[in-house]
Amino acid sequence: MVSSFFDRPVVVQLGRIDRDRVVVGVREAAQFLLYDWPQDSPARQAAMRACLAAIKGEVSTSAARDAFVAAAREARIYLGE
């Protein structure tokens, strides 16, 4: 069974300094992309596809994490690991 947890968490921030969020896995990333993402973009769509594919076992958790980080960087909400 493939783990649905990222090898390293991803820290994002939606606005206020005290609202950092630590995303630890594929399902949490997918929910965040679906419900809390600040803007739609091709990178967000790619991250959603990657997360859903990882949930189905079609791509690695690492690939989904990379797509999520790329979308977070583009949205300027990425804080680090």
Side-chain angles (χ1 to χ4, degrees), residues 7 10 20 26 36 58-60 63 65 69 81:
D7 59 342
V10 179
D20 295 359
V26 174
D36 299 320
E58 297 171 353
V59 301
S60 69
R65 183 187 184 280
V69 168
E81 302 172 356

Side-chain angles (χ1 to χ4, degrees), residues 12-21 77 79:
V12 293
Q13 182 181 71
L14 284 177
R16 295 180 14 198
I17 291 173
D18 62 341
R19 301 293 287 181
D20 295 359
R21 182 153 172 191
I77 62 170
L79 289 183

Side-chain angles (χ1 to χ4, degrees), residues 20-79:
D20 295 359
R21 182 153 172 191
V22 179
V23 179
V24 298
V26 174
R27 290 183 188 279
E28 185 179 1
Q31 289 177 339
F32 186 75
L33 287 158
L34 185 61
Y35 297 114
D36 299 320
W37 206 255
Q39 66 199 37
D40 194 21
S41 70
R44 176 186 173 266
Q45 295 295 321
M48 277 297 301
R49 285 190 302 275
C51 286
L52 294 175
I55 289 168
K56 293 184 207 176
E58 297 171 353
V59 301
S60 69
T61 303
S62 177
R65 183 187 184 280
D66 290 346
F68 182 76
V69 168
R73 285 182 192 274
E74 180 189 79
R76 299 181 190 263
I77 62 170
Y78 177 73
L79 289 183

